[in-house]
């Protein structure tokens, strides 16, 4: 095990540190509350470790710049919040189609529009899923603590490299700005998962196998990168079978690695009657409730926290629905992940939404009130 | 080789000039990157045997900025249409110029949105017709070289598809310049622009381009009245100012690998 040292830091800073531990050496971004500390940390740290920090003219450019850097072989990340996340969408779709690894951090704030810049929210869950046009796959993580932010950022970077797929980290204002202890391994090189660099002479970046590593520009392999549907070398095609193949390809790799991508955590009773399914900062209130009800009072309750929001943890939620009578889904929005839960539960359990969108966190009391009603 | 361009389009001529200029600069093929936006002219990237990156509409310079900062030893040529560069991409254009990052922007100016069938662009001359300006546009056009210079560009040149040798030389000089370089290449789009504005066929358009142009060397000895209606070609400005990527790497104490060629 590497040596470790516990440090007190903010979620946003932990995100920056996680990225650095995972080998990220390129940051491009545009300031926006409540994400700015990610940029500031990167601006302070990257020059010392031979990395590149650049403040771009807007979020569209930031997204473009990290894709460009990634094609050059640097691990790259950008961070923003709602309004900037909206601007990045077209180029996120580009990265999906062209299969360029990159990580996008969205520290959610109240929206729509300029909203309440300093108030927490979980309103971008569906935007993260469907923000860019077309029938695309996406990976979205949502950490519930500073510690989880650090490790999920590392996972995001490595998965994005391995699957050549953008990964979105959906933080919220609470997690982004709260301070907690994180244990950072001293030898952070251990956190970098190397992708294979064995490449055949006739390199096809979009070949049939599906998980060919990206050979960066400048090493004598000539191929084309485009957002147009393309053949195995990346050249544009409008040929229907190849078009269909192009889209299947980006979906198949996620299906194949589904279990590596979908991360959840269950705590509580083995035979629960009421289970809370939630994510992000709301997990914190839910955990407080379950700790009291299960650990202190042995009530038949549990908590399934979703570190991965997309692809949606369908199997995990269905397993819960087989046991539980009731699934409570608290979210700081008007109900986004709850419809997904309902869709997969297929009536096997009662699904109860709990929504709050006044810029305040959902409190443990709010959750235990509802839970109590179903337990009595 | 199959391509999407109409007969008589200037895109092929400009692309050929670019390829000859790269050859002349004697770069290692593996170091050369062609970045482009979206439009007829931007499809050139897909026809060239280098590292080629066809991006999103207007964003080519922003992708190129990321790549150049990650790999400052690479030689980047960024092909854009007039709309791509100066309308949707205007912000990235002025900021690339301001940073003085070593990118070679080749803007194929056909005064129109070709790919989408002839809508007016910020480089459509006032009064000229477009599908979205059927009575002639009332808008004023940018002077692209002035715009770039105002934003801080350190190299600005103008050539045209009717004088490909000169264009090739201009691109070579842009490539040799350390900093943001702009080469505006005036180019005929007989289909989406020429026809609607009764400018004749491809040959007439090329002839007109040639006749209305005067090189900056010849222009300096002429009276202002003699230059009316003329388009000045050649290297219009060039200044030596620190280049951004090199400055950044110097500031962090990291060496940039030295590569062959200009
Ligand atoms: C975001 C976005 N908006 C609009 C378009 C549609 N579009 C494609 S090319 C183009 C204009 C191309 O004109 P220009 O840049 O002058 O290049 P040309 O085709 O004349 O070479 C437009 C508007 C697009 N692809 N993406
Ligand atoms: S529409 Fe115009 S610019 Fe486009 S290929 Fe045809 S002639 Fe060339």
């Amino acid at each position: 095990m590497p040596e470790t040292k516990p440090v007190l830091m903010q979620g946003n800073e932990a995100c920056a540190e996680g990225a650095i531990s995972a080998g990220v050496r390129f940051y491009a971004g545009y300031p926006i509350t409540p994400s700015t500390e990610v940029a500031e940390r990167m601006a302070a740290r990257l020059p010392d470790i031979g990395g590149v920090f650049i403040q771009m003219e807007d979020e569209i450019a930031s997204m473009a710049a990290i894709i460009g850097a990634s094609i050059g072989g640097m691990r790259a990340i950008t961070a923003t919040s709602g309004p900037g996340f909206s601007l990045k969408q077209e180029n996120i779709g580009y990265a999906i189609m062209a299969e360029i690894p990159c990580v996008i951090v969205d520290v959610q704030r109240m929206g729509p529009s300029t909203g309440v810049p300093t108030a927490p929210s979980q309103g971008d869950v569906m935007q993260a899923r469907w923000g860019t046009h077309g029938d695309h796959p996406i990976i979205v993580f949502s950490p519930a603590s500073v510690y989880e932010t650090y490790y999920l950022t590392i996972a995001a970077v490595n998965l994005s490299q391995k699957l050549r797929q953008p990964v979105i980290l959906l933080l919220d204002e609470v997690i982004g700005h709260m301070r907690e202890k994180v244990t950072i391994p001293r030898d952070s090189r251990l956190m970098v998962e190397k992708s294979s660099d064995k490449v055949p002479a006739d390199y096809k970046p979009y070949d049939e196998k599906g998980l060919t590593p990206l050979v960066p520009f400048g090493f004598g392999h000539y191929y084309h990168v485009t957002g147009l549907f393309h053949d195995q070398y990346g050249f544009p095609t409008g040929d229907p079978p190849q078009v269909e193949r192009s889209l299947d390809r980006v979906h198949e790799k996620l299906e194949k690695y589904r279990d590596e991508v979908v991360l959840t955590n269950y705590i509580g009773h083995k035979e629960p009657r009421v289970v809370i399914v939630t994510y992000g900062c709301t997990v914190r209130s839910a955990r407080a409730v379950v700790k009291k009800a299960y650990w202190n009072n042995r009530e038949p309750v549990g908590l399934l926290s979703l570190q991965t929001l997309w692809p949606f943890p369908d199997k995990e939620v269905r397993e819960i629905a087989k046991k539980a009578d009731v699934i409570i889904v608290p979210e700081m929005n008007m109900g986004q992940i709850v419809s997904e839960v309902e869709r997969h539960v297929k009536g096997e359990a009662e699904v109860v939404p709990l929504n709050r969108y006044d810029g305040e966190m959902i409190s443990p009391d709010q959750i235990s009130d509802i839970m109590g009603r179903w337990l009595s | 080789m199959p391509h999407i361009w109409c007969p008589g389009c200037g895109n092929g001529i400009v692309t050929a000039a670019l390829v000859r200029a790269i050859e002349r600069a004697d770069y290692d093929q593996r170091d050369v990157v062609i970045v482009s936006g979206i439009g007829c002219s931007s499809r050139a990237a897909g026809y060239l045997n280098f590292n080629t990156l066809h991006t999103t509409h207007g964003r080519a310079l922003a992708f190129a900025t990321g790549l150049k900062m990650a790999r400052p030893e690479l030689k980047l040529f960024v092909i854009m249409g007039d709309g791509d560069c100066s309308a949707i991409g205007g912000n990235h254009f002025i900021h690339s110029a301001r940073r003085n990052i070593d990118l070679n922007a080749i803007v194929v100016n056909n005064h129109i949105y070709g790919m989408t069938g002839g809508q007016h662009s910020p480089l459509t001359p006032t009064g000229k017709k477009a599908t979205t300006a059927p009575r002639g546009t009332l808008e004023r056009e940018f002077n692209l070289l002035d715009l770039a210079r105002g934003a801080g560009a350190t190299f600005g040149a103008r050539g045209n598809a009717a004088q490909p040798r000169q264009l090739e030389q201009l691109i070579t000089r842009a490539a040799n310049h350390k900093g943001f370089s702009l080469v505006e290449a005036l180019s005929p789009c007989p289909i989406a622009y020429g026809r609607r504005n009764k400018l004749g066929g491809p040959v007439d358009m090329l002839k007109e381009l040639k006749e209305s142009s005067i090189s900056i060397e010849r222009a300096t000895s002429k009276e202002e009245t003699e230059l009316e209606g003329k388009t000045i070609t050649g290297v219009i400005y060039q200044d030596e100012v620190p280049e951004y990527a090199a400055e950044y790497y110097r500031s962090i104490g990291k060496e940039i690998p030295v590569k062959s060629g200009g």
Side-chain angles (χ1 to χ4, degrees), chain A residues 357-369:
Chain A
Y357 42 92
D358 60 354
E360 297 286 335
M361 268 184 86
I362 294 176
S363 68
D365 284 350
Q366 277 184 285
I367 299 174
S368 56
D369 270 2

Side-chain angles (χ1 to χ4, degrees), chain B residues 18-261:
Chain B
L18 168 63
V19 172
R20 286 196 308 269
I22 292 171
E23 229 165 61
R24 213 193 241 257
D26 202 25
Y27 293 141
D28 187 337
Q29 182 189 5
R30 68 171 68 200
D31 296 335
V32 176
V33 180
I34 311 291
V35 185
S36 68
I38 297 288
C40 296
S41 41
S42 286
R43 289 300 282 267
Y47 307 142
L48 300 175
N49 195 28
F50 297 108
N51 306 281
T52 55
L53 175 59
H54 179 233
T55 68
T56 46
H57 191 31
R59 317 301 173 196
L61 285 168
F63 279 77
T65 297
L67 178 55
K68 182 72 186 177
M69 289 305 289
R71 297 286 299 282
E73 75 276 20
L74 299 180
K75 318 288 180 192
L76 276 73
F77 296 84
V78 185
I79 305 172
M80 295 170 281
D82 46 297
D84 189 72
C85 165
S86 73
I88 191 165
N91 201 25
H92 313 307
F93 180 67
I94 57 174
H95 289 282
S96 304
R98 177 180 62 81
R99 287 188 190 100
N100 195 35
I101 185 164
D102 193 13
L103 302 174
N104 304 296
I106 318 293
V107 179
V108 184
N109 180 6
N110 56 16
H111 309 290
I112 203 81
Y113 286 5
M115 176 138 268
T116 41
Q119 300 75 31
H120 67 87
S121 95
L123 298 188
T124 306
T126 312
K128 288 287 189 255
K129 288 182 180 158
T131 61
T132 47
R135 305 171 187 199
T137 178
L138 298 176
E139 294 192 19
R140 296 161 67 212
E141 77 256 37
F142 275 136
N143 177 322
L144 198 65
L145 268 85
D146 286 354
L147 174 67
R149 178 154 226 195
T154 51
F155 181 100
R158 188 185 292 114
N160 64 55
Q163 292 162 306
R165 292 285 154 197
Q166 180 201 32
L167 184 59
E168 173 192 329
Q169 282 164 14
L170 295 175
I171 299 173
T172 309
R173 287 178 65 182
N176 289 334
H177 176 76
K178 293 277 165 275
F180 184 78
S181 316
L182 166 64
V183 178
E184 179 183 18
L186 298 168
S187 175
C189 166
I191 304 302
Y193 183 67
R195 215 151 45 182
R196 187 163 293 106
N197 285 292
K198 305 203 163 46
L199 301 177
V203 179
D204 304 306
M205 288 183 82
L206 282 172
K207 195 162 157 246
E208 167 60 21
L209 260 181
K210 191 165 180 178
E211 282 169 4
S212 62
S213 297
I214 178 165
S215 74
I216 187 149
E217 291 79 12
R218 284 183 45 220
T220 38
S221 61
K222 296 263 194 280
E223 295 294 326
E224 207 157 297
T225 47
E226 289 178 271
L227 295 175
E228 222 161 274
K230 293 275 186 198
T231 305
I232 299 178
T233 58
V235 176
I236 312 296
Y237 51 83
Q238 182 166 18
D239 315 305
E240 292 305 322
V241 170
E243 190 274 323
Y244 183 68
E247 284 298 293
Y248 183 87
Y249 276 77
R250 195 183 50 73
S251 80
I252 65 166
K254 198 168 162 181
E255 249 172 70
I256 300 175
V258 181
K259 294 288 182 171
S260 66

